[in-house]
Amino acid sequence: MYLNTWLDWTGIDISQYARENSTYSAFYFYWRDELFSRVMRLFKEQTEPIPTKEIEIRLMMQGHVGIAPLKYSGKNELTAFWGVPNGIGKYRDELPFYSCRCPVWSGNLKVGEEVIVIDNNILRNPLFDMIHHYAILLAHNEVTYIHTMVNARNANGVPIASTTKQKKSIKEFIGKVFNGQYDVVTDIGNMGIEYAGAHTNSAIGADELWNARERILASFLSDIGVKTGLDKKSNSVVDEVNAGTPSMLINLKDMLESRKEGFERVNKRFGTKWTVELNEDIDYVNDFVNPDVDMKGVNDENKEI
């Protein structure tokens, strides 16, 4: 009842709100933000006085973050900066200066002396591209799933409008179908609304689409090294589980080691006591986090009887 009261207070029409949020764009924005929030919880960090999320947002979005004192209005507070490496160096990705910026100050600082640059991984790649990729896949899946269920209510084909009034009538009818209500198409002007013989049902069943959704999510979590309850087969063997473990850990371990190395340089330069570890609340496929691998329900074909 609380949500109904809130929706009434905001003046939101729930039927219209549901239709508008059943589009590809709406689902893309939803999954982009949802997946981003999941990767933001991968690590447990102590980064006083800087909020941890400010560091992680910059690492995930641009692949690196600059840590330096903010020299503004007489203040000298340690701050996480967006930035761009610049200058001339021996290697293209190891440059001597870092152009720092925030809403109240910007400056070009000497790397290693005035600013410490922390990388998201060994190649300074952000995770946003991966999030974007999986958000696209999940958005297409969600739209197709909804269309499969809604179109099953009315598989007569696509109505063709000859006039603006007919178009309005058809839109009202489709809206009622989406909302699960009974209605008829009113042929205003008796112009003869026709249906094209298009097959509106999906070639993929609802169960298959839902399984695809779960596998896309499992693939995303696997790419960042998080264990899921979804097996490749319903009857997996120990060798399959163990064989997949190293590849799942590459991204996660790389990100963890990059943070540890960066935090050590921050501590040495600015006298902080920053620490980072994997979030123990997440089930990682990782021997150094959880050495007792849960093999319940998995058949070991190599075990002697």
Side-chain angles (χ1 to χ4, degrees):
M1 295 302 294
Y2 175 82
L3 291 178
N4 286 339
T5 303
W6 181 81
L7 289 169
D8 290 342
W9 177 72
T10 57
I12 294 176
D13 183 329
I14 188 62
S15 296
Q16 180 180 353
Y17 184 72
R19 289 195 298 272
E20 290 174 351
N21 284 274
S22 297
T23 63
Y24 167 80
S25 296
F27 281 123
Y28 170 80
F29 291 136
Y30 168 80
W31 279 113
R32 182 198 62 185
D33 294 347
E34 175 63 22
L35 297 179
F36 187 75
S37 70
R38 295 191 185 195
V39 299
M40 285 288 291
R41 298 194 294 269
L42 286 174
F43 303 101
K44 186 176 181 180
E45 298 155 311
Q46 298 294 332
T47 58
E48 291 81 3
I50 301 175
T52 296
K53 72 177 181 67
E54 298 299 333
I55 296 174
E56 284 299 322
I57 286 173
R58 288 155 180 77
L59 288 173
M60 298 298 180
M61 292 293 292
Q62 72 172 5
H64 48 83
V65 59
I67 306 298
L70 173 63
K71 302 173 182 179
Y72 176 76
S73 297
K75 298 180 180 180
N76 202 32
E77 299 176 349
L78 208 59
T79 305
F81 289 99
W82 299 96
V84 178
N86 64 90
I88 300 175
K90 183 178 179 180
Y91 301 107
R92 292 182 63 88
D93 60 342
E94 296 295 337
L95 302 179
F97 294 96
Y98 193 80
S99 180
C100 300
R101 65 184 189 275
C102 72
V104 297
W105 182 84
S106 64
N108 203 31
L109 305 181
K110 177 71 174 177
V111 174
E113 298 179 9
E114 299 175 292
V115 61
I116 300 298
V117 179
I118 303 173
D119 300 328
N120 183 51
N121 52 39
I122 193 171
L123 293 177
R124 289 184 177 170
N125 290 334
L127 277 190
F128 180 77
D129 290 340
M130 181 189 296
I131 292 169
H132 171 71
H133 169 74
Y134 279 103
I136 290 174
L137 294 177
L138 287 163
H140 280 299
N141 179 275
E142 297 272 14
V143 170
T144 307
Y145 186 80
I146 287 181
H147 284 187
T148 297
M149 293 188 294
V150 173
N151 289 341
R153 302 171 189 169
N154 180 37
N156 295 324
V158 179
I160 307 298
S162 302
T163 67
T164 302
K165 291 183 178 180
Q166 284 182 349
K167 179 181 176 181
K168 179 180 178 181
S169 176
I170 291 170
K171 288 183 67 175
E172 290 176 352
F173 168 74
I174 293 175
K176 292 289 183 67
V177 171
F178 180 90
N179 206 35
Q181 297 174 272
Y182 289 105
D183 198 14
V184 296
V185 178
T186 304
D187 186 3
I188 302 174
N190 195 29
M191 296 293 292
I193 294 178
E194 298 180 356
Y195 279 78
H199 185 58
T200 56
N201 287 336
S202 172
I204 307 175
D207 288 344
E208 293 177 88
L209 286 167
W210 193 259
N211 288 335
R213 174 187 183 274
E214 295 302 298
R215 289 186 177 278
I216 293 170
L217 274 173
S219 179
F220 170 76
L221 295 173
S222 174
D223 278 348
I224 57 177
V226 178
K227 183 179 180 180
T228 67
L230 184 65
D231 294 327
K232 292 187 295 181
K233 301 177 183 177
S234 58
N235 187 29
S236 295
V237 296
V238 170
D239 288 342
E240 289 176 327
V241 176
N242 292 338
T245 299
S247 61
M248 292 171 67
L249 295 175
I250 292 175
N251 286 339
L252 183 65
K253 189 173 182 179
D254 187 8
M255 289 191 292
L256 177 62
E257 292 302 320
S258 293
R259 283 161 175 74
K260 283 184 176 181
E261 193 273 336
F263 282 18
E264 288 176 2
R265 288 187 286 110
V266 170
N267 292 338
K268 183 177 179 180
R269 178 65 184 86
F270 299 115
T272 53
K273 296 181 179 180
W274 287 12
T275 60
V276 57
E277 60 185 14
L278 297 175
N279 188 343
E280 70 274 9
D281 295 329
I282 300 177
D283 190 6
Y284 299 97
V285 181
N286 196 331
D287 290 339
F288 63 82
V289 174
N290 184 16
D292 299 322
V293 180
D294 182 9
M295 305 308 294
K296 183 178 180 181
V298 178
N299 298 324
D300 187 352
E301 292 183 345
N302 300 319
K303 184 177 181 181
E304 295 182 0
I305 299 177

